[in-house]
Amino acid sequence: MTGEHRIVVLGAGYAGLAAARQAARARGVRVTVIDTRTELVERVRLHQLLAGQQIPRWNLREMLECKGIQFIQGKAIDIDTAARQVRLEDAPPVSYDSLVYALGSVADVGGVPGVAEYAHSVATPEDVRRASALSGRVAVVGGGSTGIETATELAEARPDLTVLLVSAEEPGAWLSDKARTHIRAVLERLGVEVHAGAKVAEVTADGLELVGGASLSAETVLWTAGFAVPELAARSGLAVDPRGRVLVDGELRSRSHPEVYAVGDSAVMTGPEDRELRMACATALPAGKYAATALTARLAGKTPAPRRFRYVLQCVSLGRRDAIVQFVHADDAPARTVLTGRTAAWVKEQIVRTAGSSARP
């Protein structure tokens, strides 16, 4: 034994890497990151990958180990909280003194009949690879950021496709009037067939069956309507909400197991006025950094500073040459200021690049 405090970070997304990077700066710790993938692929660029573009990739082992952080490729199948071990599939268990749970989210394919059997998603690189052979009519389901970005990217990069955007609400419904108007104008300019107010009842081999009896034909259905989290936390006995997200305190420690910190999409994190924070790299990066800061402060016998968080803006790309940058209040409610067009596209690209560099140790 070296006497070092063993910090294991489960998940190498934005939150996990930010936590590992911050924790590795402390003295007397040994940081290990576990992930099923060997490469970091920026999730916020997956719609570009689906459209056939080359996007950056980084070798996780090389990136982490050059900073003194151990990397283990493996799939976690259980957390033995009594023994403080992460059990891996086809590999020895990994022991920890403190654990940072940062497994992120996956596409929610269980809520509507036929999604799991007939639809694809863009939530992971593996999803994108399975959906890469696109032709004919492509129906993108979901009017959130992922759906809008996917539909516009495909329509711009693949004029051979007929792209449909199907949503129960107006695309970008949570944004300001100006932002929604611009999104609608770009969708029309790119020839995207928008079906707002359409709720999907079932996905079939031929397309979509809508509530009310109407049908939409499509060779491919891309499902972006909601995300789910892995079942590992609930299966391992951590306190979770009904969706399986880890319940945490103000320091992002598990309410049931204080040696476990949880960050990112897999945790219920709150911000101003105790509102739940949205799933986004803008949430994950500062959360990962704060969790590691709080953890290492505790190890040094100090009380962590209170977590302070506020949103500044939301960005939605609309192809490579357009976007909206919606400024927001601290609680994420839309403010009056909105950037659009090429200026917004440039700002969005800079933010994405900054997010990627912030995650990389």
Side-chain angles (χ1 to χ4, degrees), residues 133-159:
L134 301 176
S135 62
R137 290 169 62 84
V138 177
V140 180
V141 180
S145 296
T146 304
I148 295 167
E149 292 189 330
T150 300
T152 53
E153 201 75 53
L154 286 175
E156 180 182 85
R158 295 284 306 274

Side-chain angles (χ1 to χ4, degrees), residues 6-13 17 20 30-39 59-65 68-77 85-96 99 103:
R6 299 164 298 179
I7 300 174
V8 172
V9 179
L10 195 52
L17 290 177
R30 174 153 49 97
V31 182
T32 300
V33 173
I34 302 173
D35 198 271
T36 57
R37 303 184 184 95
T38 58
E39 290 184 321
N59 183 287
L60 284 168
R61 188 179 304 279
E62 293 176 359
M63 185 175 67
L64 292 166
E65 293 188 352
I69 301 170
Q70 182 185 15
F71 174 70
I72 297 175
Q73 182 189 9
K75 180 181 180 180
I77 57 174
Q85 288 186 332
V86 177
R87 294 177 179 169
L88 304 179
E89 186 176 78
D90 301 324
V94 180
S95 298
Y96 64 86
L99 177 69
L103 283 184

Side-chain angles (χ1 to χ4, degrees), residues 278-315:
R278 57 184 159 93
M279 294 180 175
C281 62
T283 308
L285 286 166
K289 182 178 180 180
Y290 177 83
T293 300
L295 191 167
T296 53
R298 289 285 179 191
L299 294 180
K302 301 176 182 178
T303 299
R307 180 169 58 95
R308 302 186 186 281
F309 180 86
R310 66 151 293 159
Y311 289 109
V312 178
L313 46 79
Q314 293 189 32
C315 302

